[in-house]
Amino acid sequence: MLDTPEAVVEALRENNERPHGLQRTVTAEELVEAAEPFDEPGVLVTALLELMRSYEFTGEHRKSPVVFARVLKLWDSAPDSFSEWEAHQVFWRFKWVTTSLLQVPDVPLAAIRGWIDQMRTRYASADHGMQPVAAMGYHVAHHTGEGLADAYDLWATRPRTELSDCEACEIRHFAEHRVAAGDDAGALETWQPVLGGSMGCTEEPQMSQARALLPLLRAGRADEARSHHLTGYRQVRGNTGMQDEVGLHLEFCGLSRNEGRGLEILAENRPLFEATGAPLARLGFLTGAEVLLARLTEDGHTDTAVAGPPGRNWTAGELLSHVRSEADRLTTAFDTRNATTAVGDRRRARLAQRPLLAEPLPLGLRTSRTRLSAAQAAPDGAPATAASAGIEVPQDFVALVREARRLTAAGHPGDHRLWSRVEERLADGSAAHDDVLGPEELLQAEIADQRAYRLATKDRDAESSGELKRAAELYEGLGMPWHALSARSRSLAWLSTTDEAERDAIRAGLDETLAEAARLMTQAPTEGPDAEGRAERELEYLTVLYSATFAAYQDAVRELPEAAGSAAERFEERAGTLRTEAERLSVPHHVANALQFAADLAARRGDTARAEDGLLAALAAVDASGRPWRGSRPRALLAQLMLGKDEPARAVELLHQALADAARYDDTDFAVAPTYALLGHAASHLGDVTGAVRHLSEAAARFDQDGDHDEATDVRIQLADVLARSGRQADAVAVLESVLGGESAAAGDVRALAQARLSLARGLRDLGEYLPAAEEFLRLADIVAAWEDDRQVLTLVAAEAATALAMADRWDAAATAYERAVAAHADAPDPSLIIHMMCEFARLTMLARQADGLDTALDHLTQADAVCAAVPEDAEDFAPWYGRGTVHYRRARVLAEAERFEQALAEAEAAIAAHEEGAEHGEVPRAEAVRIAALIEGNGLARFQEAIARLTAAAARCRQAGLQEAAHILDALRQDYLKR
C-alpha cells in the first residue's frame, strides 16, 4: 500500500533498482500519482525526477519536458525540498530537456532557443559556468545546419564545468563533428579513450561504438569494426532509448554486406517500429533499416520475408516502402520546423552510400540467413552462375568451349566455371552446338564429365558415377578409348561405400581398367601421325593409375589405425606405380599426387617425419609441373604438420600461400573453410589475436555458406575461446549467444554445445550480467542432469548457478541452487568446487549486509569445514591444506568485516599455517593470508609494529620464492604502516 510518504519512498528505491524499460516507466508514473496527495513536496520531487529519468532512458522524449516543468515549479516554490543531489539534477537536466525538444518536430525552434535562454539565465543566477549552455547551442546548430562553426567554437573553447556532459559523451560529440566534416581519421583519434575502454558512462561506449562503425570500415580497420558491432549491439538491442544506435548497426550490416545479420537485428527489434516518443531517433532507426532493405531489394531479394511492425507479415519490398514513407514524413516535418534541409541532407547522404567491402565482413556470428548469391541459390547439381574470379568468360560460344577445353587440358581449376557457363547457355537456349567444335556427342560427353565432378563434390556418388558412365559410352562411340577408360576408372574410384562386397567389385573393376590401360599402351604408336596425341594419351593413362591409387588410398584410410594389411599393401603398390610411371613419362603433377597420398597416410599413422618429407617432395614436383595451382592442398597438409611441430609461423606462411593460390587460380573446390580455421589456430599460437579472430570468423562464415553448420558451430566455439582468453569477454559472449540462439541450441554435438553454454554463462558473469548468467547456468544444469556418465558436471554447474544467483541478489533462488549443488556433491563429489561456493556465499552474504549476515556467513564456512574434513586422505585432485587454508582465510575476512578482530587474526594465522603445508605450491595464497593478517593487526587492532614485522618477513620470503609481485604488494603495505 502506498498510503504513506515512507511507503512511496521505499517503492521509489525498489523501482530505481529495476532495469530501464516499460515496467519501470509505468511504475514511475504510478508513484508520481501516489506522491501527489501528500503534503511532502520532497517526495514528489524525488518521484518526478525518477519519472523523468525513466522517460529519458526509454526514449519518451515527448513527455520529459512536461515533467521537468513541474520540477522547476517546485524548485521555485519549495527549494528546501530538494536534496543536494536533486538540486544539482535540476541544472543538469536542463540539457536533457533541450535535446528532448529537438527530438520532437512539433516544437518550434523559437521555443527551443527560448528554453536555452532560460537555462542561461538560471545558470548565471546560480553562478554556474556557461559551457553546458554553449553545448546546447551547438546541438541546435548541428541539428539545423545553421551557424555550426561559430556554435562549435563557442562550445569547444570554453572550459568544462561540473555541469558539463561527462567526458565520454563530449568526446562522442567532438568525434561526430569531425566525421561530419569528412575527417574519419581525426574522429577515430578523438574517440580513442572511449572506444579503447578507458572512459565511459551509462551511455558509453555503446553510443560511440555505433557511430564509429562506418568510419572504422572506411579507414580499413575492419577488425575493430567487427568487435564494436559485436559488443556495442548487445548493449542497445531492444532498447527504445537507443533507436538511433540500432539503426546504425542495421546500416553497418547493409554496408558490410551482412544483410542476413541485419535481418536478425530487425527481428530482434520489432517493438522499435512502434516506439514514437523520440521522433528524431526514430528517423535514425528507420533510415538504418532503409539502407539495409534497399541493399536487399537491389540484390533481387524484394520478396524475402522480413520482420517489420508487429501485426502482419512483411516482405523486404513492402517494408522498404513502409519505412521510406514514414521516414520521408518525419524528414519533411523536421526540415519544415527548422526551415533548413539539414536533416534531409543527412538522410539522403546515408541512403546514397554503397557497400564499403567487396565481400561480406566475417562477424563470427551464426545468422539464420546468409547473403544469397546466384550460385548459392542454384539447386544441387545445377551449374553456378558464370561470375568470374579472374577467369575470362568469352561471350562467343565457340570461344567459350575452346577456352574451357584449353583449361581442362592444362588441368586448370578455372575450367569448372567455364563448363558451367557452357551448360547454362545450352540449357537456356542462348547458344547451340556449332560443328566447328567437332561432334555434338563430344560436347555432351565433356559436359557429363564436368557434371559428374560437381555431383562428386556434393557427395552424390551414385549420380556422379552415372554421369561418368554416360560420358564413357559417348567417348566409346566417338572412337576415343582412352577418354572412355579414364571416365570408367573414375566412375568406380569415386564411389564411396563401406560394403565389403561392393568394395571388392570396385577393386575388380579397377583391375580391369588397369589391364585395359596396359594393353592400350602396348598398342600405342610412338611415331607417325598418331604420335601427336601421345601427351593426351599419356595423361589419360596416368588418370587411370590415379583413379586406382585414389581408391586404394580410401581403402587404406578405412583400415587405419593399422599400419599394415592388404589395403596398405595395395596402396603402396598403386602409389608406387603411379609415381614410377609419372616420372617415366615426365608428368610431375602426377608424381606430386602419388607423394601427397603417401604423405597423408603417413600423417594419419603418426609418422610425421615421413609425411613432412613426402609433402616437401610433392611441392617440389608441383613447382616442376608448371601447374602452380596444385600446390594449395599439399601446403595446407604441411601446415597442419608444422602446427603439430609447434612451428606456427611456418604454418601461417604456408596457409596464406595456399589460400592466395586458390583464389588466384579460381580453385573453387579447395577446402577454404577448413584452411581458414587452421590459419586461425596458427595465428592464435603466434599470439596474433586479431589475426586469429579474423580467420576463425571467416572460417565460420565459409562453413555456413557450404552448409556445414556443425563445423561452423565448432569454429565459433573456438573463436569465443580465443576472444575470452585475450580479455575480449564481451565479444566472446556475443559469439556464444549467436551459437546458442534459435535452431543451433537444439542441433549439433550436445557436449560441445554444453561447453559453449558454460562458457557463455561464465562470460556473462564476468561482464557483471549476473542474472542472465544464472539463467544460463540453470538451463545447463537441467541439460547435464541427465548425463549418467559424467555426474560431476552437475555438481559444477549447480554450484556456479548458485553463486551467480547470489551475485544477482536473488537469494531465495540461490538457496535452492545451493542445496541442489550440495546434493549433487553427495552423489558426485567435487570438494574444491563446493568449498569455493560456500566461501563465496559467505563473502556475498556479508556484502549484501543482511540482518543475520554474520551468523549465516559463518554457517556457510562451518559447512565448508565439514566438506573439507569428509574428503578421504587418498582423494585425487584435492589438496587438504588448500581447502583448510581457503576456509580459514574467508572466515578471517568475514570476522574482520564484523569487527571481531582478535578472532579474525587467529583465523588468518590458521590460513597462513595451512598454506605453509603446501610448500612451494602454497606460497602465493600464504602471502595473501599474511596481507590480511597484517591489515587486521594494523587497521583493526592498531598493532602496527607487529604488522610491520610480519610484512617484512613475508616480503623477504616472497622474494626468495621468486614472487616479485607479491613482495611488492606486501612492501607497499609495510611502507604505509611505517608512515603511520
Side-chain angles (χ1 to χ4, degrees):
M1 294 290 291
L2 301 175
D3 51 0
T4 66
E6 292 77 16
V8 173
V9 170
E10 180 59 30
L12 283 167
R13 184 178 296 110
E14 292 177 2
N15 199 42
N16 188 56
E17 295 176 357
R18 292 191 177 99
H20 287 291
L22 182 61
Q23 181 184 1
R24 177 167 173 170
T25 300
V26 170
T27 303
E29 290 173 335
E30 294 171 349
L31 292 175
V32 168
E33 292 180 9
E36 286 174 335
F38 303 119
D39 188 21
E40 292 275 358
V43 177
L44 182 57
V45 166
T46 304
L48 287 168
L49 288 174
E50 164 61 20
L51 177 57
M52 188 179 179
R53 182 177 180 84
S54 294
Y55 285 154
E56 177 73 15
F57 285 94
T58 54
E60 292 287 353
H61 292 282
R62 291 181 182 274
K63 300 177 180 179
S64 186
V66 177
V67 177
F68 191 62
R70 296 183 65 184
V71 172
L72 275 185
K73 186 175 180 180
L74 286 167
W75 174 254
D76 290 336
S77 62
D80 293 342
S81 301
F82 289 72
S83 68
E84 183 178 349
W85 179 84
E86 290 168 339
H88 180 269
Q89 287 298 301
V90 170
F91 291 97
W92 183 270
R93 296 190 184 188
F94 266 98
K95 300 179 296 181
W96 289 11
V97 174
T98 302
T99 53
S100 291
L101 294 173
L102 275 177
Q103 283 275 345
V104 184
D106 305 340
V107 179
L109 270 185
I112 299 173
R113 291 188 171 117
W115 179 261
I116 295 175
D117 289 341
Q118 182 184 166
M119 177 182 176
R120 181 181 293 106
T121 300
R122 286 187 179 265
Y123 269 50
S125 65
D127 201 26
H128 289 307
M130 290 293 116
Q131 194 259 14
V133 180
M136 296 304 102
Y138 167 76
H139 293 325
V140 173
H142 177 267
H143 176 69
T144 63
E146 289 188 327
L148 183 60
D150 290 342
Y152 180 79
D153 289 342
L154 188 62
W155 166 48
T157 57
R158 288 179 178 269
R160 285 176 50 78
T161 76
E162 65 174 2
L163 289 168
S164 296
D165 282 343
C166 79
E167 285 192 69
C169 289
E170 281 207 341
I171 283 173
R172 178 179 76 248
H173 295 311
F174 285 133
E176 284 187 282
H177 183 81
R178 301 191 80 163
V179 170
D183 182 11
D184 285 343
L188 293 171
E189 183 178 354
T190 300
W191 253 318
Q192 181 51 38
V194 176
L195 298 180
S198 61
M199 198 172 288
C201 66
T202 56
E203 297 179 331
E204 291 293 349
Q206 57 266 33
M207 292 184 77
S208 287
Q209 285 176 314
R211 286 158 175 74
L213 292 172
L214 295 187
L216 284 166
L217 277 188
R218 289 193 293 262
R221 294 161 62 175
D223 294 323
E224 293 169 75
R226 175 197 298 113
S227 177
H228 290 307
H229 170 66
L230 293 181
T231 59
Y233 173 66
R234 288 191 71 251
Q235 299 303 313
V236 304
R237 65 183 173 195
N239 186 342
T240 54
M242 291 281 179
Q243 282 180 284
D244 208 354
E245 287 68 30
V246 173
L248 290 167
H249 283 280
L250 289 170
E251 179 181 56
F252 166 78
C253 289
L255 299 179
S256 66
R257 298 187 183 273
N258 279 284
E259 295 90 339
R261 166 68 167 167
L263 290 185
E264 289 196 343
I265 291 176
L266 272 184
E268 288 178 335
N269 291 276
R270 292 188 78 177
L272 298 193
F273 283 104
E274 299 180 312
T276 59
L280 187 60
R282 175 175 172 76
L283 176 59
F285 167 69
L286 293 173
T287 302
E290 189 174 353
V291 170
L292 171 71
L293 294 165
R295 292 295 319 134
L296 282 166
T297 57
E298 286 176 28
D299 281 350
H301 304 305
T302 302
D303 296 328
T304 296
V306 300
R312 59 160 286 188
N313 296 325
W314 297 86
T315 66
E318 291 168 342
L319 185 57
L320 176 60
S321 297
H322 173 80
V323 164
R324 183 169 286 160
S325 174
E326 177 67 7
D328 282 345
R329 183 188 66 78
L330 286 171
T331 300
T332 301
F334 279 111
D335 282 349
T336 300
R337 189 269 301 271
N338 300 336
T340 69
T341 61
V343 172
D345 291 343
R346 281 193 288 272
R347 176 165 174 259
R348 284 184 286 274
R350 289 177 70 180
L351 295 175
Q353 297 173 106
R354 307 305 299 165
L356 297 169
L357 302 172
E359 296 292 332
L361 172 66
L363 300 175
L365 303 176
R366 178 199 63 85
T367 55
S368 59
R369 172 193 176 279
T370 54
R371 185 173 183 268
L372 294 177
S373 69
Q376 290 169 307
D380 284 347
T385 313
S388 174
I391 298 298
E392 192 73 29
V393 183
Q395 294 302 307
D396 178 74
F397 185 70
V398 171
L400 175 64
V401 174
R402 284 174 172 166
E403 179 63 9
R405 286 173 173 170
R406 185 187 70 81
L407 291 180
T408 298
H412 195 293
D415 70 332
H416 302 310
R417 195 182 297 276
L418 299 191
W419 282 115
S420 293
R421 184 57 178 154
V422 169
E423 188 175 358
E424 274 183 353
R425 294 195 59 184
L426 289 172
D428 65 18
S430 64
H433 179 261
D434 191 312
D435 288 342
V436 301
L437 294 172
E440 185 173 358
E441 291 80 4
L442 174 59
L443 187 57
Q444 292 174 357
E446 291 167 321
I447 290 173
D449 210 327
Q450 287 291 323
R451 190 183 295 120
Y453 181 82
R454 284 199 305 273
L455 290 165
T457 60
K458 293 179 169 59
D459 295 325
R460 294 167 62 174
D461 301 333
E463 294 167 84
S464 174
S465 180
E467 291 290 341
L468 284 167
K469 289 175 181 176
R470 177 170 177 266
E473 290 172 1
L474 289 167
Y475 286 132
E476 288 279 10
L478 290 166
M480 302 174 68
W482 276 112
H483 288 76
L485 192 61
S486 169
R488 282 204 304 275
S489 70
R490 284 178 284 129
S491 75
L492 293 165
W494 292 359
L495 280 173
S496 178
T497 177
T498 56
D499 184 272
E500 193 55 37
E502 292 177 3
R503 296 304 308 163
D504 286 341
I506 290 171
R507 284 190 284 269
L510 286 169
D511 287 343
E512 288 179 14
T513 63
L514 288 172
E516 178 66 8
R519 185 184 67 79
L520 288 175
M521 282 298 286
T522 62
Q523 296 176 357
T526 57
E527 52 186 44
D530 290 341
E532 295 179 6
R534 186 178 63 183
E536 183 177 0
R537 182 172 63 248
E538 289 172 350
L539 281 174
E540 297 297 348
Y541 165 62
L542 290 172
T543 299
V544 174
L545 297 184
Y546 173 87
S547 298
T549 305
F550 176 73
Y553 161 80
Q554 296 282 70
D555 285 343
V557 168
R558 291 189 188 91
E559 199 175 70
L560 290 175
E562 295 297 324
S566 60
E569 292 173 3
R570 187 182 306 107
F571 169 75
E572 294 292 341
E573 178 188 346
R574 297 286 189 253
T577 301
L578 174 61
R579 180 178 177 182
T580 300
E581 288 295 274
E583 288 173 342
R584 180 178 68 83
L585 298 171
S586 300
V587 183
H589 72 269
H590 272 303
V591 175
N593 288 333
L595 288 166
Q596 185 178 327
F597 279 134
D600 182 72
L601 271 180
R604 290 170 183 266
R605 291 168 178 156
D607 189 350
T608 55
R610 183 182 177 190
E612 183 179 348
D613 290 343
L615 290 170
L616 289 171
L619 286 170
V622 168
D623 289 342
S625 72
R627 299 184 175 197
W629 48 83
R630 289 185 170 272
S632 293
R633 289 162 181 77
R635 282 192 178 90
L637 288 171
L638 184 57
Q640 288 181 279
L641 295 181
M642 293 302 100
L643 268 178
K645 291 178 62 178
D646 197 23
E647 296 183 26
R650 176 68 176 135
V652 165
E653 179 186 345
L654 288 162
L655 292 167
H656 274 303
Q657 187 172 351
L659 287 165
D661 284 348
R664 180 180 300 115
Y665 300 114
D666 195 25
D667 188 352
T668 55
D669 295 319
F670 178 65
V672 172
T675 304
Y676 271 113
L678 197 61
L679 186 54
H681 294 311
S684 178
H685 282 295
L686 279 175
D688 177 12
V689 174
T690 299
V693 170
R694 182 188 309 127
H695 302 316
L696 290 172
S697 299
E698 182 72 41
R702 299 269 183 168
F703 276 125
D704 273 339
Q705 290 170 15
D706 295 341
D708 294 333
H709 301 301
D710 288 347
E711 292 288 347
T713 294
D714 184 57
V715 169
R716 288 190 174 102
I717 292 171
Q718 297 168 40
L719 169 61
D721 181 61
V722 169
L723 288 164
R725 285 189 285 109
S726 65
R728 293 165 58 178
Q729 194 63 264
D731 296 53
V733 163
V735 172
L736 290 169
E737 284 179 334
S738 82
V739 167
L740 295 166
E743 301 169 1
S744 290
D749 182 83
V750 174
R751 301 289 170 128
L753 290 174
Q755 181 59 54
R757 196 173 297 282
L758 178 62
S759 298
L760 173 59
R762 288 171 170 171
L764 289 166
R765 181 189 61 200
D766 292 346
L767 292 175
E769 299 179 33
Y770 301 125
L771 188 55
E775 290 170 351
E776 292 296 338
F777 279 126
L778 291 171
R779 195 172 289 118
L780 180 57
D782 291 339
I783 293 170
V784 303
W787 291 6
E788 294 296 337
D789 60 331
D790 202 353
R791 304 292 296 162
Q792 204 172 54
V793 176
L794 177 60
T795 308
L796 180 149
V797 175
E800 296 210 39
T803 304
L805 285 164
M807 289 175 167
D809 205 28
R810 300 297 177 92
W811 287 96
D812 290 342
T816 301
Y818 185 101
E819 293 305 320
R820 185 182 191 182
V822 171
H825 168 69
D827 178 51
D830 191 338
S832 297
L833 184 72
I834 293 298
I835 289 168
H836 174 76
M837 177 192 75
M838 291 170 170
C839 288
E840 274 293 278
F841 263 71
R843 179 183 72 83
L844 293 167
T845 298
M846 296 300 290
L847 195 64
R849 309 251 178 232
Q850 298 175 1
D852 58 348
L854 177 60
D855 290 341
T856 303
L858 292 175
D859 180 60
H860 286 306
L861 295 172
T862 299
Q863 292 182 59
D865 280 331
V867 170
C868 192
V871 179
E873 291 185 5
D874 59 348
E876 296 182 1
D877 300 323
F878 181 74
W881 60 267
Y882 185 77
R884 292 196 309 275
T886 298
V887 180
H888 284 306
Y889 170 83
R890 180 52 56 193
R891 189 178 284 112
R893 298 201 63 163
V894 165
L895 290 167
E897 286 182 52
E899 299 186 358
R900 289 164 60 169
F901 297 119
E902 290 289 358
Q903 292 172 280
L905 181 59
E907 287 296 325
E909 289 178 334
I912 295 169
H915 288 310
E916 281 182 351
E917 294 178 29
E920 68 273 13
H921 302 295
E923 288 298 331
V924 172
R926 180 191 185 281
E928 170 59 13
V930 168
R931 186 183 72 86
I932 291 300
L935 284 169
I936 294 168
E937 280 181 317
N939 297 346
L941 298 170
R943 299 175 187 169
F944 293 106
Q945 292 301 323
E946 291 90 335
I948 290 168
R950 185 189 296 274
L951 291 165
T952 301
R957 178 170 176 153
C958 285
R959 278 190 288 272
Q960 186 174 1
L963 303 175
Q964 300 304 322
E965 184 178 353
H968 175 74
I969 292 170
L970 296 173
D971 280 335
L973 181 57
R974 175 177 173 275
Q975 290 299 322
D976 179 48
Y977 282 170
L978 284 170
K979 291 176 184 176
R980 298 193 195 183

